[in-house]
Amino acid sequence: MTASAAQQPITIATGLVSAASCSAADLLRAHGVTAESGLSETEVARRQARWGPNAVSSHRARLAPVLWHQLRSPLLGLLLAAAVASYLVGERSDAIIIGVIVTVSVGLGFVNEYRAEKAAEALHSQIRHQTQAIRDGRSATVDVTALVPGDVIGLRLGDVVPADLRLIAVTGLQCDESILTGESLPADKNTAAVPPGTPLAELSGCALMGTVVHAGGARGLVVATGAHTEFGKIAAGLSTHQLDTTFQVGLRRFSMLLVYVAGSLTTSIFMINVVLHKPIIDALLFSLAIAVGITPQLLPAVVSTSLAAGSRRMSRLKVLVKRLVCIEDLGDVDVLFTDKTGTLTQGRIAYMRAVPVKDDAADMVLRWGLLCTENVVGGNPLDQALWQSPAAASGQAAVADYARVAVLPFDHERRMVSTLVRDPAGELTLVTKGAPESVLDRCVDVPAATRHALAAEFAAGNRVVAVAIRPATGTRPPEPADERDLHLVGLLVFLDPPKQDAAKALRRLAELGIAVKVVTGDNPAVAVKVGRDLGLIEGGALTGADLDAMDDSHLAAAIAGTTVFARVSPEHKARIVRAQRASGGGVAFLGDGVNDALALHAADVGISVDSATDVAKDAADVILLDKDLDVLADGVVEGRRIFANTIKYVLMGTSSNFGNMFSAAGASLFLSFLPMLPSQILLNNLLYDTSQLAIPTDTVDPEQLRRPSHWDIGFIRRFMIFFGPLSSVFDFATFGVMLWVFHSGPEQFRSGWFVESLATQTLVIFAIRTRRIPFFRSHPSLPLTLAALGVVAVGAVLPATPLANTLGFQPLPGGFFAALAGMVLGYLVLIEIGKRVFYRAAAKTPSVRRPFGMYRWIGRRAAYFSTATR
């Protein structure tokens, strides 16, 4: 941009629809740029200050929503209201104590959840989406959120269009606009202006933010960014909260289960106490405190702490998750569909040789192969390997006098690229290069010897590209219909050997209960050879043609016995994933290309790599910084570990905690006083939950990591019904000891039950955290051990401290602690017996799995245009 242009006021067309009716040349002049020079960095900074970041959402951690998440519990509100009422009628000390305990409890949850949000913010900031823009006359890689109106950018196959663009130049460009228009077929694009008022779906001269380049390439002028784009307007009208994952749905269903139980107990306890003529305020506070004690008040904090710690560990393991809750979903995977290149193979493709149709024409095959290249820099790996090979270094001189007139870009339907080439004599030739099956089908003379040579290369596990030509008569850009009547020149052979450590990673995934299946666009013989070399082949192979002959039910049945799916289209990949999901279990798909996007969206967990195409990273839930199955196995183990620790807290809340609250309800029937004051119940719950915050640090038994983990509310309900009463047995034993052995009054009775209930419900974590019998065969983490023992010690000494009178406690006799030790020991023994009975029965009860919900595509793609500063 010239200095004079920079000083002139810029008239920018308002909106994509207005820009679509202007010519590209007029818009370039209005923005003060040329297609060759683009904007200067100084002008970019000025426009960024005016228009802001090119973002439609923010992933910045915010204090207010996190705090509201802690305060929105209706039970908490009722409890605080009752405490205020108690304060107003004169029971000020109890009301203040309740207020302090609730404040500390909310503070604990807030601090831990906010830390998790900050961890998520840092995690999201590591996932970058970039595009190529012309800045100061040079092509530069810039973050998509840094684009401004007036930027000139390039588009290629697989890109997510980063802003609303007025197209300047196109080469066979087609865009998938289904996310905005609902149209399933890709839209053809050109540079022509359209009449004013043309509908969004017919803006052929524009590329819309959030759509995907389906074929071809282009250069375009940014005319709108962020919320000013058509995509941004739609995204702004949606809830910024993404749809819940299966793990979150399970959490919510579990919480609602306890809320129903708490509601029933609260109502019953309140009515019983009123009927027994106990003070209404005391009865209300007591019943509400019981409800708060049952509800999993710190469950979000425990989950958030687990996820935040897990995300940091996974980041060190080179695994990034877009949403923290996807970590648990990764642990539920039992089938992984993966591509071959770079995952099972080294991904460092090397050109080996040319196999000519005629014995003396190897140099000709190489020459035509070099000329039939879509992008020399940043192109597909096969083209890059060809141009970087030693053979190409000597062959480049032979192609220097040739000129590429036009290109028909590669797409995944044709699986070919064609170029129109002019030789030194001025003759035009159409050169086609691509998948051998596709190219040979369009050739008129394929020798049998060449077909045998091709089969031999495939059997050896080599990748092969066929090259064919025919004379051309005009300079019109080639179209798919022109790829006919070709004459085969020969084959280009490439080597991509298996990874040395891939076999070990596959064995590790098998030990984790994950079946690995290869889904590739390559030849089936090549994929089978690689799989066999790695010890993967257990079943057969199916091709895309085989899939077309099957209905969905037959496909679902065939997947179990198939290890390789070859020569499949993007639609085939998505169909395979959907068929497996319908069969049950968690399905992951690992892919990095534009042709993988449909399958990534269809999978329960989409996995891509940091070097993947934009559309693949956009569709994925998990990003691997290293394309390595061993890294993925680390992520699966971490997901299962976090889920296992979360379930420990859940099972604690449905056994001892529920049992203690059930005991309180029973005690109300025969005691003339409240068995525990509301403030004491809340203090008990606060101390207990504080000890449980160490659960995320706990170790998990290896046998629990060897199988997928998922929510099963039926299992949790049965656990609660079975183990809850076991806790109550020792609560009622404590009642008997306090009333008939020590002849305790109300204060000492409450003190004794406070200490006993806190000790039993806290120490039982050592038995419940493992399925091993006896439990001491599994070793808990040091932080969990210290937290549990520390909380029990605090509870035991509280009645003897200066705070005892304020809290309504009274010192306990020495004999009580001897009885307490016996009851704790007896409780743990009973729990061990119960575990043997319960888990034996649970093994015979089938687990119920619910399918994952599909995320809303716009909500997911909005994260692509996200910033921490908006």
Side-chain angles (χ1 to χ4, degrees), residues 212-556:
V212 178
V213 177
H214 180 81
R219 180 174 288 190
L221 174 71
V222 175
V223 295
T225 58
H228 303 285
T229 65
E230 298 301 317
F231 177 85
K233 294 172 186 176
I234 296 175
L238 298 175
S239 168
T240 57
H241 175 69
Q242 292 184 323
L243 297 186
D244 288 343
T245 66
T246 296
F247 180 76
Q248 290 173 302
V249 172
L251 276 178
R252 189 172 62 249
R253 293 179 65 225
F254 165 69
S255 299
M256 289 308 300
L257 169 66
L258 290 193
V259 166
Y260 292 142
V261 173
S264 301
L265 277 178
T266 300
T267 304
S268 301
I269 292 171
F270 179 70
M271 293 178 64
I272 290 171
N273 281 274
V274 170
V275 169
L276 295 177
H277 304 292
K278 296 176 182 177
I280 291 181
I281 289 292
D282 288 349
L284 179 61
L285 284 171
F286 178 71
S287 58
L288 288 174
I290 290 289
V292 171
I294 294 175
T295 52
Q297 191 173 342
L298 281 192
L299 179 58
V302 170
V303 172
S304 298
T305 303
S306 294
L307 294 175
S311 70
R312 289 190 291 270
R313 281 190 294 269
M314 293 182 76
S315 181
R316 290 193 293 270
L317 295 171
K318 299 184 179 181
V319 181
L320 301 181
V321 288
K322 288 185 178 179
R323 300 175 65 195
L324 292 181
V325 290
C326 292
I327 297 174
E328 284 93 351
D329 293 342
L330 186 59
D332 194 22
V333 168
D334 55 14
V335 176
L336 169 67
F337 294 101
T338 178
D339 60 355
K340 174 177 64 68
T341 304
T343 306
L344 301 179
T345 64
Q346 294 180 9
R348 295 191 295 271
I349 301 173
Y351 170 69
M352 296 175 62
R353 58 182 173 272
V355 179
V357 171
K358 299 178 181 179
D359 293 338
D360 58 348
D363 290 344
M364 183 182 299
V365 181
L366 178 62
R367 183 183 69 199
W368 290 121
L370 290 171
L371 288 168
C372 190
T373 302
E374 188 175 345
N375 294 297
V376 176
V377 179
N380 72 69
L382 293 174
D383 279 344
Q384 292 185 52
L386 183 63
W387 276 90
Q388 294 168 6
S389 66
S394 58
Q396 288 181 30
V399 302
D401 295 332
Y402 287 76
R404 275 184 297 219
V405 178
V407 178
L408 176 60
F410 176 90
D411 66 56
H412 294 283
E413 283 73 29
R414 294 167 33 252
R415 294 186 295 166
M416 297 181 295
V417 59
S418 291
T419 58
L420 187 61
V421 176
R422 179 181 289 112
D423 64 17
E427 298 293 327
L428 293 172
T429 303
L430 178 70
V431 188
T432 298
K433 181 175 71 177
E437 296 92 334
S438 299
V439 175
L440 266 59
D441 284 346
R442 291 163 173 80
C443 291
V444 294
D445 49 357
V446 181
T450 301
R451 293 189 183 273
H452 291 315
L454 176 62
E457 297 291 353
F458 281 151
N462 297 325
R463 301 187 66 174
V464 183
V465 171
V467 182
I469 61 174
R470 75 172 177 84
T473 55
T475 59
R476 174 182 58 83
E479 298 177 354
D482 297 323
E483 296 170 328
R484 55 178 174 75
D485 300 329
L486 300 171
H487 297 278
L488 184 65
V489 179
L491 308 173
L492 298 173
V493 182
F494 299 83
L495 176 64
D496 185 14
K499 283 185 176 179
Q500 294 181 350
D501 57 353
K504 178 183 174 183
L506 288 170
R507 287 194 299 271
R508 187 179 174 199
L509 288 170
E511 291 170 357
L512 292 172
I514 299 175
V516 179
K517 299 179 183 295
V518 181
V519 182
T520 178
D522 209 341
N523 182 272
V526 175
V528 168
K529 174 66 166 56
V530 171
R532 185 174 292 115
D533 289 345
L534 296 174
L536 179 62
I537 296 299
E538 297 175 358
L542 292 175
T543 65
D546 297 327
L547 301 186
D548 290 335
M550 297 181 180
D551 59 23
D552 289 345
S553 61
H554 285 90
L555 174 58

Side-chain angles (χ1 to χ4, degrees), residues 40 154 248-249 490 709 845:
S40 67
Q248 290 173 302
V249 172
S709 53
T845 304

Side-chain angles (χ1 to χ4, degrees), residues 818-832:
L820 175 65
M823 284 186 287
V824 169
L825 182 60
Y827 181 40
L828 293 177
V829 170
L830 187 59
I831 289 293
E832 291 296 280

Side-chain angles (χ1 to χ4, degrees), residues 253-254 257 643-644 646-652 654-655 704 707 709-724 768-771 834-850:
R253 293 179 65 225
F254 165 69
L257 169 66
F643 186 89
T646 302
I647 289 296
K648 290 174 187 176
Y649 178 86
V650 168
L651 297 182
M652 288 285 289
T654 55
S655 55
Q704 285 187 265
R707 57 181 181 272
S709 53
H710 56 273
W711 281 98
D712 186 348
I713 296 299
F715 173 86
I716 295 171
R717 188 185 301 112
R718 292 191 298 274
F719 193 97
M720 177 177 66
I721 294 172
F722 186 89
F723 286 97
I768 287 180
R769 59 173 293 278
T770 178
R771 294 191 178 192
K835 280 167 55 179
R836 185 178 297 276
V837 174
F838 179 81
Y839 286 120
R840 186 177 296 162
K844 301 176 182 178
T845 304
S847 176
V848 178
R849 305 179 71 155
R850 289 174 174 259

